[in-house]
Amino acid sequence: PGDPASPWLMLPPPVREAFDAVRQDGVPVGDAPWLRLTLGVKCGANDAFIIDSSKGSGSRGESALGRLATGSCSPLARPLLQGDSVQPWFVKASSRTILYTHDDDGAVLTQLPAGALAQLSPFRDRLSARTDLRGHQWWRLFRTEGANSFVNRVVWGDFGRRPAAVVLERGDRTVPLNTCYVATVADRDDALAFAALLNSPLAAAWLNALAEPARGGWRRYLAWTVAQLPLPSDWPRARAILQPLAQAALTGNPPDDARLLRAACDAYRLPVASVEPLVSWSH
């Protein structure tokens, strides 16, 4: 919005006025110095790296790779997060893990444990043919910044009827796949407040005016789309309003939409009535 190269917005006048009211009091997420947006980890051959331990005999779940990844013998196994498992505040339980062939800093391992090497070897030709490999080890993964467990991460799925964000706190070794987008954030309170904003009806309505449509009324919440979302210009004040709601959600008391809407409007210093046309239109 505001860029001649950006998509046109075909909105009724009251809806556009509400959309602009939010934008005028904010700084785009993409310009915020305290967070960085990235796509989740890309495999290029999911079946080589992802193991589902719930599958029956003869499946990948019962294979040696499945036993390797789900047992205590593999330091390379990490919890996997895919876009369809992200809910507001929480992650759906999953039996899937990923064989993560990089170190904690994201660099590809120069050698693999013998068991992991043996299990990936049947896929070597396919893995070696991936166009992104560019001379690196054939077991390399791509876009590993989103797997960085040294920072707090806000993760949302790429598809949905509205954004759904969850916080992976520093030390959480979960690996978001490239059906997710990730905001890496140094400060925990910033991460919690940003997640609360993304989970609010106001952010959902604003982003749904801009997001690329998909089937069944769903939208695509790509990095460039979320990068346009305005953050309240007085972010420290907004953080103080939004962070407690996210903290309560983490302890099992998630705020309802009405409370999130009021808090988001307060963060932008806007009356709820001024954004009602946008929120109603989005529904």
Side-chain angles (χ1 to χ4, degrees), residues 51-132:
I51 308 98
D52 188 341
S53 61
S54 69
K55 292 184 177 179
S57 178
S59 72
R60 290 273 287 165
E62 292 297 320
S63 68
L65 180 56
R67 292 192 297 275
L68 169 73
T70 58
S72 60
C73 61
S74 177
L76 305 189
R78 291 200 189 184
L80 178 70
L81 178 55
Q82 294 176 279
D84 59 3
S85 293
V86 181
Q87 297 178 307
W89 313 116
F90 300 104
V91 174
K92 291 181 185 177
S94 174
S95 57
R96 294 172 179 172
T97 55
I98 184 169
L99 197 63
Y100 190 69
T101 55
H102 292 239
D103 64 21
D104 287 340
D105 291 320
V108 61
L109 298 174
T110 56
Q111 296 184 17
L112 293 182
L117 183 61
Q119 300 310 320
L120 286 177
S121 290
F123 299 93
R124 181 167 185 166
D125 289 346
R126 282 180 56 198
L127 297 178
S128 298
R130 293 173 296 168
T131 56
D132 291 338

Side-chain angles (χ1 to χ4, degrees), residues 1 6-20 205-211 213 219 277-278 281-282:
S6 65
W8 285 21
L9 294 180
M10 305 296 292
L11 301 174
V15 176
R16 181 58 191 260
E17 288 175 11
F19 179 92
D20 288 341
W206 199 93
L207 288 169
N208 282 352
L210 189 66
R219 305 273 180 172
L278 176 62
W281 171 86
S282 179

Side-chain angles (χ1 to χ4, degrees), residues 4-281:
S6 65
W8 285 21
L9 294 180
M10 305 296 292
L11 301 174
V15 176
R16 181 58 191 260
E17 288 175 11
F19 179 92
D20 288 341
V22 175
R23 178 167 60 89
Q24 288 165 4
D25 186 54
V27 177
V29 164
D31 293 339
W34 49 267
L35 62 74
R36 178 180 172 87
L37 302 180
T38 185
L39 184 64
V41 171
K42 181 180 177 183
C43 296
N46 285 1
D47 55 335
F49 295 95
I50 297 174
I51 308 98
D52 188 341
S53 61
S54 69
K55 292 184 177 179
S57 178
S59 72
R60 290 273 287 165
E62 292 297 320
S63 68
L65 180 56
R67 292 192 297 275
L68 169 73
T70 58
S72 60
C73 61
S74 177
L76 305 189
R78 291 200 189 184
L80 178 70
L81 178 55
Q82 294 176 279
D84 59 3
S85 293
V86 181
Q87 297 178 307
W89 313 116
F90 300 104
V91 174
K92 291 181 185 177
S94 174
S95 57
R96 294 172 179 172
T97 55
I98 184 169
L99 197 63
Y100 190 69
T101 55
H102 292 239
D103 64 21
D104 287 340
D105 291 320
V108 61
L109 298 174
T110 56
Q111 296 184 17
L112 293 182
L117 183 61
Q119 300 310 320
L120 286 177
S121 290
F123 299 93
R124 181 167 185 166
D125 289 346
R126 282 180 56 198
L127 297 178
S128 298
R130 293 173 296 168
T131 56
D132 291 338
L133 199 60
R134 298 173 186 169
H136 290 271
Q137 285 85 351
W138 55 268
W139 54 78
R140 182 191 183 192
L141 296 165
F142 311 109
R143 295 182 175 271
T144 56
E145 181 180 356
N148 182 359
S149 61
F150 295 135
V151 294
N152 302 286
R153 292 168 289 164
V154 179
V155 182
W156 65 94
D158 57 351
F159 284 95
R161 294 185 181 274
R162 58 182 285 179
V166 66
V167 177
L168 302 180
E169 296 188 47
R170 183 182 286 112
D172 189 326
R173 291 169 61 81
T174 297
V175 175
L177 205 62
N178 64 335
T179 51
C180 298
Y181 286 89
V182 182
T184 59
V185 185
D187 185 88
R188 180 178 183 271
D189 287 345
D190 283 333
L192 291 175
F194 182 50
L197 184 63
L198 280 182
N199 284 331
S200 72
L202 182 55
W206 199 93
L207 288 169
N208 282 352
L210 189 66
E212 180 182 327
R215 291 183 179 179
W218 286 37
R219 305 273 180 172
R220 300 192 67 195
Y221 301 108
L222 308 176
W224 78 262
T225 308
V226 174
Q228 304 302 314
L229 177 68
L231 293 170
S233 55
D234 186 350
W235 179 249
R237 176 182 176 275
R239 180 179 58 196
I241 294 168
L242 296 167
Q243 186 273 353
L245 301 182
Q247 183 62 54
L250 296 185
T251 58
N253 295 293
D256 60 21
D257 273 355
R259 189 174 180 193
L260 277 171
L261 178 59
R262 291 194 301 270
C265 288
D266 188 10
Y268 287 104
R269 302 181 189 269
L270 292 171
V272 173
S274 70
V275 301
E276 184 58 37
L278 176 62
V279 174
S280 297
W281 171 86

